[in-house]
Amino acid sequence: MEISNGGIDNTGSIITIKGMLSLLMQSVDDEKNEKKVISLAMGDPTVHSCFHTTHVATEAVAEALLSEKFNGYAPTAGLPLTRRAIAEYLSRDLPYKLTPNDVFVTSGCTQAIDVAMALLSRPGANILLPRPGFPIYELSAAFRHIEVRHFDLLPDKGWEVDLDDIESLADQNTVALVIINPGNPCGNVYSYQHLQKLAETANKLKTLVIADEVYGHLVFGDKPFVPMGVFGSTVPILTLGSLSKRWIVPGWRLGWFVTTDPCGMFRKPKVLSPFSVSFRRTCV
């Protein structure tokens, strides 16, 4: 099949997305191009030889494989010791302790995103996503028939969330507010004060927060990473993460879906109508 510069094959038909990508890559790889293209798509630190995971991680995996204790099917939510380890690790940065029952192991953070969308999907639902943001959220929401509503990030304020924009977009059918921190693709790190305002806004709107923290603790300068779960007493939070970025092992495909909810609001939902859910506050 011959492809013209317009992305059309020799029969006059529009080619596939894969075909368009192939056409684009041919142009990128053209030796006549004076400028090299830097991909801002999939972040894979392993393609650079200077980045390596800790030897402790590889030794632990090798020991687990050689033990032959983990060759069988694992529980759907993940192995108990894995869930316990994740709960203990994330609890280090929280004012309360997570339990293994708060943790669900996934195949990378991508599956955690899909699980979140499946959990929240219902007729008429909409979700608030950052712009710019991570495109997998839009794809997964569309697959689950969840309407996507974009709120803006403000470049002149360090890519903070436009809080007024969120309030104008949300309604009784809004099922979640997605916060990516540290930011992807902008690399911003939100302050404690800004995250607190986001939690208060979500509580006001009676919607939960999905906190994508796959880049947690990967920060530049003196601005510390603050997990959204710190504000779990203000609003229920689903924390998503993985080993991929922090431990430089994206191919291991180990992620998590965690309910950072010390007040137990997820466990005590109060249904107000077929399309509206609020949560009882039980924290003192």
Side-chain angles (χ1 to χ4, degrees):
M1 179 180 70
E2 295 181 358
I3 303 174
S4 70
N5 289 335
I8 301 175
D9 66 19
N10 55 0
T11 67
S13 300
I14 303 297
I15 64 173
T16 63
I17 294 176
K18 187 176 181 180
M20 287 298 295
L21 179 60
S22 175
L23 178 64
L24 177 62
M25 294 310 297
Q26 289 175 26
S27 177
V28 168
D29 295 335
D30 192 334
E31 294 181 357
K32 296 180 181 179
N33 289 334
E34 296 182 0
K35 295 183 179 179
K36 297 296 182 182
V37 176
I38 299 174
S39 175
L40 297 178
M42 186 178 297
D44 187 350
T46 66
V47 300
H48 303 286
S49 60
C50 57
F51 294 112
H52 304 276
T53 191
T54 172
H55 67 88
V56 175
T58 53
E59 289 173 0
V61 171
E63 181 180 349
L65 289 173
L66 292 172
S67 74
E68 298 188 354
K69 295 179 180 179
F70 307 101
N71 292 340
Y73 289 113
T76 301
L79 292 170
L81 72 167
T82 306
R83 299 169 70 192
R84 187 185 314 114
I86 294 171
E88 291 175 354
Y89 173 75
L90 296 179
S91 294
R92 297 176 185 177
D93 300 316
L94 299 175
Y96 53 90
K97 295 297 183 181
L98 297 170
T99 71
N101 290 333
D102 297 317
V103 178
F104 303 87
V105 181
T106 59
S107 179
C109 195
T110 296
Q111 189 191 24
I113 293 171
D114 190 58
V115 169
M117 295 299 111
L119 174 70
L120 298 171
S121 177
R122 56 178 173 77
N126 66 73
I127 189 168
L128 307 185
L129 300 182
R131 179 173 54 197
F134 186 50
I136 292 295
Y137 282 96
E138 294 180 67
L139 294 174
S140 187
F143 182 75
R144 301 293 180 179
H145 305 290
I146 301 175
E147 178 192 352
V148 170
R149 298 181 180 180
H150 290 103
F151 58 86
D152 289 326
L153 302 183
L154 306 173
D156 57 338
K157 293 186 177 181
W159 301 102
E160 287 188 347
V161 174
D162 187 334
L163 298 175
D164 293 334
D165 204 10
I166 288 178
E167 294 205 37
S168 67
L169 291 170
D171 60 23
Q172 71 274 13
N173 292 327
T174 300
V175 293
L177 163 66
V178 174
I179 301 298
I180 304 176
N181 181 52
N184 180 10
C186 299
N188 50 289
V189 181
Y190 292 140
S191 67
Y192 180 100
Q193 292 74 17
H194 187 59
L195 292 173
Q196 184 175 38
K197 290 179 182 178
L198 286 168
E200 292 170 350
T201 300
N203 179 57
K204 176 182 177 182
L205 298 173
K206 302 303 179 186
T207 189
L208 60 85
V209 173
I210 295 176
D212 184 326
E213 297 178 353
V214 73
Y215 283 96
H217 293 289
L218 297 180
V219 300
F220 298 95
D222 57 0
K223 183 177 288 187
F225 165 69
V226 178
M228 193 72 198
V230 167
F231 306 100
S233 297
T234 301
V235 65
I237 295 167
L238 299 179
T239 298
L240 312 184
S242 78
L243 295 181
S244 299
K245 313 303 182 186
R246 274 174 272 186
W247 285 271
I248 319 178
V249 287
W252 288 11
R253 309 309 299 142
L254 195 151
W256 51 80
F257 173 105
V258 179
T259 55
T260 39
D261 177 34
C263 296
M265 289 182 269
F266 284 126
R267 294 186 294 274
K268 299 179 180 180
K270 180 181 179 182
V271 179
L272 301 183
S273 73
F275 302 102
S276 178
V277 177
S278 66
F279 298 90
R280 295 190 183 98
R281 293 290 301 281
T282 57
C283 287
V284 177

